């Protein structure tokens, strides 16, 4: 497997070590608007892990473009680009400097100036109305790309990638949705992009790679770029570049660029195949390609010449090296919970399965090649109680550090709540596989007492227990875990979701798919309000409405029984009754403190309700402390 994926590829006379591309993405690693040492470490890990091409985070080519707080500015990126090249080139990795301008999709709150756009069309998300660019602004954009490319060449990059993707001024110029001009730039919507590419090529010369990230479907067929129109654009633009990355997305579909697991992986496959027939330049497939088998099939089937696997490489920086060694890379579960960071909180890019993927998280994990036979076995032994994500990660890191490990789990299978949580089973399977590979003794179906844990380092990952019901009435009461594990529930069902996270949405969808009448009780104006961070909020509420799931706006569930539930608004005091044959509680669970072992380290849900990322991070830190002791 992955034979074609691992082969070198030559672009503009420069050879990349593999056909795997690590694409541009927000990181929040910047030092001001410059690249930081954390950026360098972030890219260097992927280069050391076998990525053939690294495209750095898209840098704005004009100071008036400031799309998010830590967005790089090309004029300040020279030293950072040079450091990235120095760190990546020894591994045979090509480094392309990502360059772009967000146009109307930028943020005037940061730039403190008016947004630029081809025409006066308000942004769909911010509703801000931009100024229509005059010739002076158009010339400034072209000059900005030229100056950025010149600086990139001075930094000895292998090339440049120009962004005309989902969030870009150039795509806005290409589209009938956002380009309503009546001048030459309206008659020829590709004119600005051709001018930009010509300016960048002048600076790069023939010996460096010029790549174009091109949105070939805005998913707005009433006026946007369609796949058919994109083929004409590709025919005109591809002779001007050395590499073409096929993406989708536009003003009405930004979330379609890197969607979560509800969109099938490899979703751009057909679009990319059609583009490749027309393109003069080699073509890259982008679009939730996280499985090496999917990438290999696309290459073997003539869909593309290379594959972008950005989120897969965030999940496992050593993905290519692991494949070369015959191992199984850590899977990306397409949850977008830690890697989607264009967010006012400025979280650092990371992954639920590898939450120290970002160097700024403060934890450095020692890495060994997959087949390293030199792992020393320590005389010390450790016991991990609990086989959820926190316990499995603790056991994995302990064993990898040479500690003899027993993992004890009272359930008949490993994985805890993550085993039944929609989408996380592949990560749990991988953790279990790695524990077995490293020689961890895995024991399931056993109860443990404090006396059995004497003489060993102990990590308690015993998870959580359901919170007290706290509601009057005799209606059957289920936990989210029980329902997702297949407990029979008859309707009409009330899904009580005071958290507003993905669990309530998953339970509602699960029950609706089984034909149950479902209502979600929430205090938020929409169901699953926390999904705004992962990009699935609008799509989730659309799916629920299409499935017939109702939203019941309420702050309190007072009682449930006799076929009805009583809901109360604590602010108005108003009460009302809704049909209810059963309740599913999607609120927080409570830590399980039944096992008290002096000196043990507690991790995961037995400390407080945790996300998968937090559980894995805590399990890892606890294990590292034992290994270092």
């Amino acid at each position: 497997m992955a034979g074609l994926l691992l082969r070198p590829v030559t672009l503009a006379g420069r050879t990349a070590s593999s056909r795997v591309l690590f694409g541009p993405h927000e990181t929040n690693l910047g030092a001001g608007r410059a690249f930081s040492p954390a950026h360098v470490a972030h890219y260097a890990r992927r280069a050391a892990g076998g990525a053939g091409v690294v495209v750095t985070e898209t840098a704005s080519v004009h100071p008036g473009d400031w799309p998010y707080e830590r967005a790089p500015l090309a004029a300040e990126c020279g030293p950072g680009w040079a450091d990235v090249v120095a760190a990546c080139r020894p591994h045979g990795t090509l480094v392309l400097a990502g360059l772009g301008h967000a146009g109307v999709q930028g943020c005037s709150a940061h730039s403190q100036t008016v947004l630029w756009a081809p025409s006066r069309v308000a942004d769909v998300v911010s509703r801000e109305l931009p100024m229509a660019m005059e010739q002076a602004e158009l010339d400034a954009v072209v000059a900005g790309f030229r100056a950025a490319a010149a600086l990139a060449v001075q930094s000895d990059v292998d090339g440049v990638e120009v962004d005309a993707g989902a969030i870009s001024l150039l795509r806005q110029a290409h589209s009938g949705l956002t380009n309503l001009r009546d001048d030459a730039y309206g008659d020829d919507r590709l004119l600005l992009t051709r001018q930009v590419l010509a300016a960048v090529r002048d600076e790069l010369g023939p010996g460096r790679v010029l790549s174009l990230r091109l949105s070939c479907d805005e998913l707005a067929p009433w006026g946007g770029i369609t796949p058919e129109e994109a083929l004409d654009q590709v025919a005109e633009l591809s002779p001007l570049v050395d590499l073409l990355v096929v993406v989708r997305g536009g003003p009405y579909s930004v979330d379609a660029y890197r969607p979560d697991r509800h969109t099938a992986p490899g979703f751009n496959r057909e679009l990319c195949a059609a583009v490749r027939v027309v393109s003069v330049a080699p073509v890259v497939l982008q679009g939730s390609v996280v499985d090496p088998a999917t990438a290999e099939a696309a290459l073997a089937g003539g869909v593309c010449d290379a594959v972008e696997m950005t989120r897969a490489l965030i999940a496992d920086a050593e993905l290519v090296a692991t494949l070369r060694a015959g191992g199984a890379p850590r899977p990306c579960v397409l949850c977008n919970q830690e890697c989607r960071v264009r967010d006012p909180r400025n979280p650092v890019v990371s992954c639920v399965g590898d939450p120290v993927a970002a160097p700024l998280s403060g934890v450095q994990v020692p890495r060994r090649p997959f087949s390293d036979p030199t792992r020393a076995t320590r005389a010390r032994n450790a016991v991990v109680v609990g086989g959820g994500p926190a316990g499995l990660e603790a056991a994995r890191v302990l064993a990898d550090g040479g500690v003899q490990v027993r993992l004890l789990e009272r359930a008949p299978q490993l994985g805890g709540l993550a085993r039944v949580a929609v989408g996380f089973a592949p990560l749990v399977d991988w953790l279990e596989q790695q524990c077995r590979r490293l020689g961890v003794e895995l024991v399931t179906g056993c109860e443990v007492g404090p006396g059995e844990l004497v003489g060993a380092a102990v990590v308690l990952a015993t998870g959580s227990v359901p919170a007290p019901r706290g509601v009057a009435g005799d209606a059957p009461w289920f936990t989210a875990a029980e329902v997702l594990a297949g407990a029979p529930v008859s309707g009409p069902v009330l899904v009580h979701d005071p958290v507003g996270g993905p669990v309530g949405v998953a339970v509602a969808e699960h029950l609706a798919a089984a034909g149950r009448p479902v209502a979600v009780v929430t205090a938020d104006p929409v169901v699953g309000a926390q999904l705004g961070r992962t990009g699935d909020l609008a799509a989730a509420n659309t799916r629920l409405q299409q499935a017939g799931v109702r939203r019941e706006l309420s702050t309190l569930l007072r009682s449930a029984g006799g076929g009805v539930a009583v809901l109360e608004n604590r602010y108005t005091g108003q009460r009302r009754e809704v049909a209810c044959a059963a309740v599913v509680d999607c609120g927080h669970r409570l830590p399980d403190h039944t096992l008290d072992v002096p000196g043990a380290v507690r991790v995961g849900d037995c400390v407080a309700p945790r996300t998968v990322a937090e559980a894995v991070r805590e399990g890892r830190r606890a294990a590292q402390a034992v290994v270092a002791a």
Side-chain angles (χ1 to χ4, degrees):
M1 188 183 73
L4 292 173
L5 192 65
L6 305 182
R7 289 182 184 176
V9 62
T10 300
L11 304 169
R14 299 186 178 224
T15 301
S17 60
S18 72
R19 294 172 187 262
V20 178
L21 184 143
F22 189 48
H25 55 282
E26 295 89 351
T27 67
N28 285 329
L29 295 173
R33 299 201 69 184
F35 279 16
S36 69
H39 268 114
V40 178
H42 184 63
Y43 296 124
R45 280 191 63 195
R46 276 75 200 175
V53 180
V54 162
V55 184
T56 60
E57 186 168 0
T58 302
S60 297
V61 299
H62 189 277
D65 178 45
W66 199 329
Y68 50 101
E69 185 175 350
R70 296 186 181 177
L73 178 63
E76 299 182 18
C77 289
W81 283 333
D83 290 343
V84 172
V85 170
C88 294
R89 185 165 289 163
H91 303 288
T93 301
L94 302 184
V95 176
L96 308 185
L99 301 178
H101 191 297
V104 69
Q105 293 166 290
C107 178
S108 61
H110 297 306
S111 67
Q112 299 289 295
T113 188
V114 66
L115 297 179
W116 291 0
S119 301
R120 289 188 179 93
V121 177
D123 179 54
V124 175
V125 177
S126 71
R127 307 294 197 272
E128 185 165 352
L129 191 68
M131 67 167 282
M133 300 168 68
E134 301 293 342
Q135 193 61 52
E137 288 78 33
L138 293 163
D139 291 344
V141 167
V142 176
F145 273 100
R146 179 184 290 277
L151 181 59
V153 170
Q154 293 175 23
S155 303
D156 198 25
V157 299
D158 296 288
V160 158
E161 181 176 276
V162 172
D163 185 16
I167 303 177
S168 69
L169 174 65
L170 296 184
R171 180 204 48 76
Q172 293 156 26
H174 296 175
S175 172
L177 293 171
T178 45
N179 185 347
L180 309 178
R181 302 175 71 97
D182 57 6
D183 61 2
Y185 291 92
D187 294 337
D188 179 1
R189 291 176 180 153
L190 300 185
L191 176 57
L192 178 59
T193 296
R194 289 202 312 275
Q195 291 175 336
V196 165
L197 293 176
V200 172
R201 176 64 81 189
D202 282 347
E203 299 300 328
L204 292 181
R208 298 181 194 270
V209 180
L210 174 52
S211 175
L212 176 64
R213 182 166 296 259
L214 184 66
S215 177
C216 296
D217 187 358
E218 288 188 302
L219 300 176
W222 63 88
I225 301 166
T226 63
E228 294 74 24
E229 182 181 353
L231 296 182
D232 294 332
Q233 296 181 355
V234 168
E236 187 169 343
L237 297 175
S238 65
L240 308 178
V241 301
D242 304 303
L243 193 65
L244 185 67
V245 184
V246 178
V247 303
R248 72 178 189 183
Y252 294 95
S253 55
V254 172
D255 289 339
Y257 177 44
R258 284 198 175 113
D260 71 4
R261 63 172 187 83
H262 291 95
T263 300
F267 54 81
N268 277 332
R269 182 185 173 98
E270 292 183 5
L271 180 61
C272 187
V275 167
R276 190 169 187 255
V277 172
V278 177
S279 177
V280 173
V283 171
V284 178
L285 170 64
Q286 182 273 348
S288 298
V289 183
V290 294
D291 178 22
T294 300
E296 184 73 10
L299 290 166
V303 171
C304 58
D305 302 284
V307 182
E308 180 178 318
M309 303 184 72
T310 303
R311 282 183 287 180
L313 283 161
I314 293 175
D316 192 334
E318 288 80 31
L319 182 146
V320 178
T322 299
L323 290 174
R324 284 197 168 112
R330 180 186 289 103
C332 168
V333 296
L334 293 173
C335 66
N336 279 353
Q337 291 184 10
E338 297 289 314
C339 60
R340 183 185 171 100
V341 297
R342 188 174 287 204
D343 183 314
R345 301 170 302 157
N346 290 332
V348 170
V349 68
S350 189
C351 176
V352 294
D354 187 13
V356 295
L360 286 189
S361 63
V363 179
Q364 300 297 328
V365 181
R367 301 283 178 173
R368 297 183 179 84
F370 175 83
S371 57
D372 182 4
T374 64
R375 184 172 58 87
T377 299
R378 297 167 180 254
R380 191 173 189 190
N381 58 72
V383 176
V384 177
V385 185
L392 286 168
E393 177 68 1
R396 184 189 71 83
V397 175
L398 284 165
D400 194 46
V403 177
Q404 298 178 8
V405 187
R406 294 182 73 216
L407 185 148
L408 309 176
E409 167 60 46
R410 62 186 160 201
Q413 63 177 356
L414 299 170
L417 292 177
R419 171 68 70 183
V420 298
V422 179
F424 286 101
L427 176 59
V428 171
D429 290 339
W430 182 85
L431 287 168
E432 180 178 347
Q433 178 192 60
Q434 294 305 301
C435 285
R436 293 187 186 280
R437 180 180 68 83
L438 293 166
V440 175
E441 181 184 354
L442 302 174
V443 183
T444 58
C446 68
E447 290 288 345
V448 182
E452 302 172 63
L453 303 176
V454 177
V458 178
V459 177
L460 294 179
T462 48
S464 60
V465 296
R469 176 169 170 168
V471 173
D474 57 1
W477 194 270
F478 297 89
T479 66
E482 290 170 338
V483 171
L484 292 174
V489 182
S490 58
V493 185
L494 206 61
V495 177
H496 184 225
D497 184 19
V499 177
V503 174
V505 172
V507 168
E509 289 188 282
H510 175 82
L511 291 170
R516 305 288 181 265
V518 182
V520 178
V521 178
T522 175
D524 298 315
V526 292
V527 178
Q530 299 300 321
L531 293 178
R533 299 174 180 175
T534 69
D536 191 43
L537 179 60
N541 279 269
T542 299
R543 294 194 306 270
L544 291 174
Q545 288 189 24
Q546 291 173 341
V549 175
R550 305 189 334 271
R551 177 183 66 89
E552 293 289 350
L553 181 62
S554 177
T555 58
L556 293 173
L557 172 60
R558 280 296 186 188
S559 64
V564 298
V566 177
L567 307 180
E568 178 180 321
N569 187 319
R570 73 170 66 182
Y571 304 111
T572 65
Q574 182 182 9
R575 294 191 180 194
R576 68 183 189 281
E577 294 184 350
V578 298
C580 172
V583 176
V584 182
D585 179 23
C586 296
H588 289 305
R589 295 164 61 92
L590 299 180
D592 183 355
H593 289 303
T594 55
L595 190 60
D596 185 17
V597 180
V601 179
R602 291 184 176 273
V603 298
D605 283 352
C606 73
V607 178
R610 318 303 283 144
T611 64
V612 173
E614 290 164 341
V616 171
R617 181 183 294 113
E618 291 172 7
R620 181 176 295 180
R621 285 174 172 167
Q624 288 175 323
V626 172
V627 170

